[in-house]
Amino acid sequence: MTIPTFSPIQPATVDWQETTPVAVDFDDPYFSRQDGMAESDHVFLQGNRLPERFRAMAAGGIFVIGETGFGTGLNCLLAARDFLEHAPDSARLHLVSVEKHPLRKADLARALAHWPALCSLAERLLAEYPAPAPGFHRLQLHPRVQLTLLHGDALALWPQFHHPVDAWFLDGFAPARNPDMWQPELFAQLARLSRPGTTLATFTAAGVVRRGLAEVGFAMHKRDGFGHKRHMLVGKIEGQEAHPVSATGHILVVGAGLAGATTARALAERGCQVTVLDPDGIANHASGNLAGVVYSTPSAHLTPQNRFYQQSYGHALRWLQRHRYPAHPEDGNLNGVIQHYVDERQQDKLEQAMTTGAWPKELLQPHGDNAVQLLGGGYLRPARWCQHLLNHPAISQVSARVVSLQEGAPARVTLENGETLSADAVVLCTAGQSQSLPGLGWLPLKHIRGQVSYCQATDASRRWQQAQCHGGYLTPALNELHCVGATFKLHEDHTHATDSDDEENLAQLRHHLPALWQELGGEHIQIVDRRVAFRCQSIDFLPLCGPLPVATNNPHRPAQGLYLNVAHGSRGITGTPLCAELIAEMICGQPLPMDQEMIDALAPARFILRKRKKQPEWMP
């Protein structure tokens, strides 16, 4: 039977037997009743010789641990603690763990309470713990420790991961109770992702596991098990162990809007020195509206496009929380977004997203009879978010316009004044202006004019707390002004604001939300100001994020040192943090934060490749 790569997640059902969580489906405890922490240390940390290997790491080194069953996260937290204690201060740890049936957050918190020695890391895990949605979820346990949780079946998800692993934790319920996981297909994936010096350890000594791992190239040995378990297994791919060093350097980011600010921050946090180039300053184009809404478009269909909308939403919420933004009421609030049904088709789509479990209740819930609520979303001031992100000692800003690019090592840009700048990489975050650069006219981008109306708050409207989406959107007051918008004009290119666009915004509000239109003043709504900007959108509605193809006649070879992060449309606040991490990890040579299907769906080269073959089945 073929296992679907991505499907709705069924969280674990837990039977608490005194202080021990037991998985009902497998009738097996999550950790040793005798001493869970001691067992994990003995089997996984000592079995892989992690303390000594961490001490031997070079400055700037990267160590990757793969795990086949996340469970309570105990193994990962112990590994993170040992890494922070023993590894060089400039080294980085990536934990990658699969879980088919993740614990609910309340059960996870109850389990982690057993180990106060891990409280600081456990608090970070709980703060960033994702909703039970399918796919890859990137979390940060510490500035130097990343955790990528893969929600779904291990046999389906490991093929979507492509970075070498240095040590394996083969954890999961016992082979006799969970035989579906301990399969030759899984052992083959472990071997594919291993390299000389890669080790593994597992609590089981079952012959089928030992023989299966030996067949794919691991030199297997028994050693004393923990407690009452007589034996456990350890293994290694023969050869000299070597750890790559993170490829930090000087990076040029062109553009200081949402895409540029998030990209610059992601690179700076990985040790790069970043120069942001923008002749117009911070967020003075499409990212410069008074308010923007943190939201997504839920769907029951788990295509790469819809999964990007879901995973980027959760990722954006983690970024905002991590960076403590918004911290002031005048910067916005993340208290949920109300999405009103505009027609039966949208209602069916949103209700299917909930009833199928594709969007879990932690993210999406009914709100009355004619709306849903996106939990965790909200509204904020995009320009201030950009300023917040760019406030980092490794980021500098230069007012300059780029007029041409040159690939290479180093990559180069030429400025409007004729000056040439070089860097280890260049990332274009220039939205629709990217097409004006030589050689980039082929980019399939749409420029969609939008006008937002800024309306004076009233006594009634000042009580509004949540952003409302309908055919347009409406935000609570910021600086006594509500954002009402926005028009969507694909075939207009003028930049001046018009009274007719304001009338269109208010008419749409009146049609979909007549009570709120009335509270805002009804026929006497006072428009204080308005703003015109151009959304940049691709023809398949996904961003272009990844290496720039060297030429349209050679899409398989990326231009050396050149990257794109553009076309976020009206979802810039939501989509840019995940895309920024993808670009940063590509440049720095670290594990990527999303699955290969999604990486391919975002790759700028997809439009060139699509002309040469039939449209992929996943395309909308």
Side-chain angles (χ1 to χ4, degrees):
M1 182 179 69
T2 302
I3 302 171
T5 306
F6 302 97
S7 56
I9 297 299
Q10 179 60 50
T13 302
V14 177
D15 175 24
W16 282 90
Q17 298 179 6
E18 296 181 350
T19 60
T20 302
V22 176
V24 172
D25 291 340
F26 303 101
D27 190 25
D28 212 7
Y30 278 87
F31 47 77
S32 169
R33 299 177 191 272
Q34 184 178 350
D35 189 334
M37 184 182 290
E39 179 189 46
S40 289
D41 179 77
H42 176 84
V43 174
F44 300 109
L45 275 65
Q46 304 308 320
N48 281 290
R49 301 181 292 104
L50 290 188
E52 62 185 87
R53 294 168 75 186
F54 290 157
R55 284 191 291 268
M57 289 182 69
I62 303 169
F63 199 100
V64 180
I65 297 174
E67 183 179 45
T68 57
F70 182 73
T72 64
L74 175 60
N75 301 334
C76 286
L77 296 185
L78 280 173
R81 185 186 69 172
D82 269 29
F83 175 83
L84 294 171
E85 180 178 347
H86 298 297
D89 288 344
S90 58
R92 297 181 70 89
L93 174 65
H94 282 265
L95 302 156
V96 186
S97 186
V98 177
E99 182 55 62
K100 186 175 183 179
H101 300 293
L103 290 171
R104 295 284 189 187
K105 188 173 183 178
D107 285 321
L108 180 65
R110 186 174 174 181
L112 294 176
H114 282 277
W115 304 296
L118 299 174
C119 64
S120 61
L121 288 167
E123 287 173 359
R124 289 306 312 151
L125 172 59
L126 288 168
E128 300 221 348
Y129 193 61
F136 286 39
H137 305 274
R138 171 61 62 83
L139 287 63
Q140 180 175 286
L141 301 182
H142 182 274
R144 295 193 291 119
V145 180
Q146 309 292 317
L147 166 63
T148 307
L149 272 180
L150 281 57
H151 281 173
D153 191 283
L155 298 180
L157 291 183
W158 279 119
Q160 296 287 328
F161 183 76
H162 294 286
H163 196 283
V165 171
D166 299 295
W168 289 100
F169 296 168
L170 271 63
D171 202 359
F173 300 110
R177 300 179 185 272
N178 184 25
D180 289 346
M181 190 189 82
W182 303 88
Q183 297 290 326
E185 293 85 354
L186 175 63
F187 302 150
Q189 288 300 319
L190 303 185
R192 178 183 67 85
L193 293 168
S194 298
R195 54 186 167 192
T198 294
T199 62
L200 64 81
T202 178
F203 65 90
T204 184
V208 65
V209 175
R210 178 177 55 80
R211 291 188 296 272
L213 291 167
E215 287 175 0
V216 297
F218 286 93
M220 299 300 300
H221 303 281
K222 285 185 180 180
R223 58 169 286 181
D224 291 341
F226 175 80
H228 68 275
K229 294 181 180 179
R230 185 177 178 185
H231 293 123
M232 57 171 279
L233 293 174
V234 296
K236 182 179 180 180
I237 300 291
E238 297 296 345
Q240 182 64 39
E241 179 177 7
H243 297 296
V245 174
S246 181
T248 57
H250 178 219
I251 314 298
L252 296 176
V253 173
V254 187
L258 287 162
T262 51
T263 300
R265 186 59 178 250
L267 287 162
E269 289 179 350
R270 284 156 179 78
C272 299
Q273 293 293 316
V274 185
T275 301
V276 178
L277 306 172
D278 195 313
D280 301 317
I282 299 174
N284 275 314
H285 293 281
S287 301
N289 287 345
L290 174 63
V293 180
V294 187
Y295 79 111
S296 189
T297 307
S299 171
H301 303 290
L302 295 173
T303 63
Q305 179 187 41
N306 290 327
R307 288 189 297 102
F308 174 76
Y309 294 158
Q310 183 182 72
Q311 290 181 24
S312 63
Y313 178 69
H315 196 80
L317 300 186
R318 288 191 289 277
W319 258 55
L320 289 161
Q321 180 191 59
R322 191 182 308 158
H323 292 286
R324 299 178 182 178
Y325 190 91
H328 190 277
E330 282 304 311
D331 288 333
N333 202 344
L334 300 179
N335 57 353
V337 173
I338 307 303
Q339 173 67 65
H340 298 267
Y341 302 147
V342 299
D343 53 35
E344 290 184 1
R345 180 180 178 183
Q346 186 192 42
Q347 179 177 354
D348 289 343
K349 179 181 178 180
L350 292 169
E351 290 180 350
Q352 287 177 22
M354 291 184 288
T355 57
T356 60
W359 275 70
K361 64 181 181 180
E362 290 85 349
L363 293 177
L364 186 67
Q365 293 181 4
H367 185 82
D369 295 331
N370 298 298
V372 295
Q373 179 172 196
L374 281 156
L375 279 72
Y379 63 101
L380 53 81
R381 301 183 74 160
R384 291 194 184 181
W385 173 225
C386 292
Q387 291 165 353
H388 185 86
L389 292 167
L390 293 172
N391 183 20
H392 188 284
I395 300 174
S396 60
Q397 300 170 49
V398 176
S399 178
R401 186 181 306 278
V402 171
V403 296
S404 68
L405 307 167
Q406 181 181 340
E407 69 160 324
R412 293 179 172 83
V413 301
T414 301
L415 306 182
E416 194 171 34
N417 63 6
E419 183 182 358
T420 298
L421 302 179
S422 62
D424 295 284
V426 177
V427 187
L428 286 182
C429 303
T430 43
Q433 296 179 18
S434 307
Q435 289 174 307
S436 65
L437 292 170
L440 298 188
W442 65 270
L443 292 174
L445 305 177
K446 297 183 289 185
H447 306 260
I448 304 169
R449 182 184 174 279
Q451 179 172 315
V452 61
S453 306
Y454 298 155
C455 300
Q456 179 65 48
T458 65
D459 289 341
S461 72
R462 291 186 186 98
R463 296 192 293 268
W464 297 348
Q465 298 296 315
Q466 292 178 284
Q468 312 275 335
C469 293
H470 46 94
Y473 68 94
L474 172 69
T475 67
L478 292 170
N479 287 354
E480 284 289 288
L481 297 177
H482 298 277
C483 288
V484 180
T487 58
F488 198 92
K489 303 291 180 66
L490 177 59
H491 302 294
E492 292 186 6
D493 58 6
H494 63 88
T495 59
H496 60 274
T498 66
D499 292 341
S500 61
D501 278 5
D502 288 333
E503 292 169 2
E504 184 176 328
N505 284 332
L506 295 183
Q508 185 167 226
L509 176 64
R510 181 178 188 175
H511 175 74
H512 291 292
L513 303 178
L516 297 185
W517 172 81
Q518 190 63 53
E519 289 184 6
L520 192 57
E523 297 289 354
H524 305 289
I525 291 174
Q526 182 180 354
I527 297 175
V528 177
D529 202 357
R530 57 265 188 100
R531 188 175 188 273
V532 172
F534 289 83
R535 309 170 184 88
C536 173
Q537 190 176 74
S538 74
I539 58 174
D540 67 2
F541 306 103
L542 279 173
L544 280 71
C545 182
L548 181 68
V550 66
T552 55
N553 62 359
N554 191 7
H556 291 289
R557 185 174 86 78
Q560 188 175 10
L562 301 181
Y563 298 82
L564 277 178
N565 186 3
V566 301
H568 291 275
S570 58
R571 298 182 177 90
I573 297 174
T574 305
T576 51
L578 182 55
C579 286
E581 292 221 5
L582 176 62
I583 292 289
E585 302 292 38
M586 285 180 167
I587 290 174
C588 296
Q590 299 186 31
L592 303 183
M594 60 179 72
D595 60 85
Q596 190 61 50
E597 279 188 18
M598 193 181 298
I599 293 167
D600 293 342
L602 298 177
R606 69 189 188 268
F607 294 105
I608 303 171
L609 294 169
R610 199 173 297 156
K611 292 179 181 179
R612 304 183 178 192
K613 62 183 180 181
K614 290 181 64 177
Q615 182 168 286
E617 293 180 0
W618 54 260
M619 283 296 298

